[in-house]
């Protein structure tokens, strides 16, 4: 399969947007945006994300004992872009604090403090697997009203080569209704 077709196929799969931060042995912070985060196991609690073998974080993650994952909320696209940019001081901007002694994104949906479990080479990337030591569930981030009327936190997702946020079902129905059709009311 050619690379362009594969990229186009993968662009159709939405993924969560998270910022992974870690410190090098000399204390210098490193960070990157990922859209490949997923849970692996409940017992023990494990998560996985993928990182390019050429990423500046890659060698640091290989030697780090712990890292932090901040799952971004709707409205945090600026943070996602900052940590995805090359040649920029990712830690100079606003919106950061610490969790477990590591840099973390303030206002994220969830923050996970992870311990090194293993790194598995996979083509031009590596799968980084971490054991979740602690989870922090801040409240009051990007709010979304569910179809049942409950207020929930809206995630930032990456889909079709761009950042998106989820909309309530009523908004989706309104967007997909034929022009001139009556809109749903609640």
């Amino acid at each position: 399969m050619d690379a362009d077709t594969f990229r186009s196929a993968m662009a159709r799969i939405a993924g969560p947007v998270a910022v992974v931060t870690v410190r090098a042995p000399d204390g210098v912070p490193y960070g990157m945006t990922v859209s490949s985060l997923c849970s692996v196991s409940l017992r023990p609690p494990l998560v996985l994300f993928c990182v390019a073998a050429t990423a500046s974080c890659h060698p640091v993650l290989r030697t780090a004992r712990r890292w932090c994952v901040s799952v971004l909320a709707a409205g945090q696209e600026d943070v996602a872009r900052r940590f995805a940019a090359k040649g920029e001081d990712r830690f100079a901007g606003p919106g950061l604090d610490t969790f477990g002694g590591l840099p973390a994104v303030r206002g994220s949906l969830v923050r996970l403090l992870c311990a090194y479990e293993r790194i598995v080479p996979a083509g031009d990337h590596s799968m980084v697997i971490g054991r979740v030591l602690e989870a922090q569930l801040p409240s009051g981030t990007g709010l979304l009203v569910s179809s049942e009327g409950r207020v929930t936190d809206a995630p930032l997702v990456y889909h079709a080569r761009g950042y998106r946020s989820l909309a309530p079902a009523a908004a989706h129905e309104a967007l997909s209704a034929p022009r001139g059709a009556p809109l749903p009311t609640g």
Side-chain angles (χ1 to χ4, degrees):
M1 168 173 294
D2 69 274
D4 289 338
T5 301
F6 184 68
R7 273 193 208 97
S8 293
M10 294 299 99
R12 294 177 182 213
I13 301 171
V17 180
V19 168
V20 175
T21 56
V22 63
R23 286 195 190 278
D26 62 2
V28 173
Y30 285 78
M32 65 180 180
T33 299
V34 301
S35 61
S36 57
L37 178 69
C38 67
S39 63
V40 175
S41 169
L42 181 60
R43 290 188 184 96
L46 299 175
V47 295
L48 169 150
F49 65 89
C50 298
V51 58
T54 57
S56 60
C57 277
H58 194 275
V60 179
L61 286 164
R62 285 187 123 359
T63 60
R65 288 284 179 231
R66 299 181 317 152
W67 58 87
C68 179
V69 177
S70 299
V71 179
L72 301 185
Q76 292 185 308
E77 183 178 332
D78 58 331
V79 176
R81 289 188 185 285
R82 186 170 84 221
F83 276 85
K86 293 186 189 306
E88 183 175 326
D89 183 355
R90 297 169 178 165
F91 297 92
L96 299 177
D97 57 18
T98 60
F99 178 55
L102 294 168
V105 178
R106 188 181 307 117
S108 56
L109 293 179
V110 63
R111 302 191 301 189
L112 305 173
L113 180 61
C114 300
Y116 174 90
E117 188 75 18
R118 86 177 43 133
I119 295 181
V120 180
D124 56 2
H125 280 63
S126 291
M127 294 182 292
V128 180
I129 302 170
R131 180 183 299 252
V132 180
L133 302 174
E134 189 176 344
Q136 189 177 57
L137 305 166
S139 62
T141 53
L143 297 179
L144 175 74
V145 179
S146 72
S147 59
E148 295 84 28
R150 291 191 317 263
V151 175
T152 61
D153 291 316
L156 183 64
V157 297
Y158 193 75
H159 178 257
R161 297 187 178 106
Y163 295 106
R164 316 266 187 248
S165 60
L166 299 180
H172 176 71
E173 290 170 14
L175 291 173
S176 60
R179 288 186 184 256
L183 296 177
T185 57

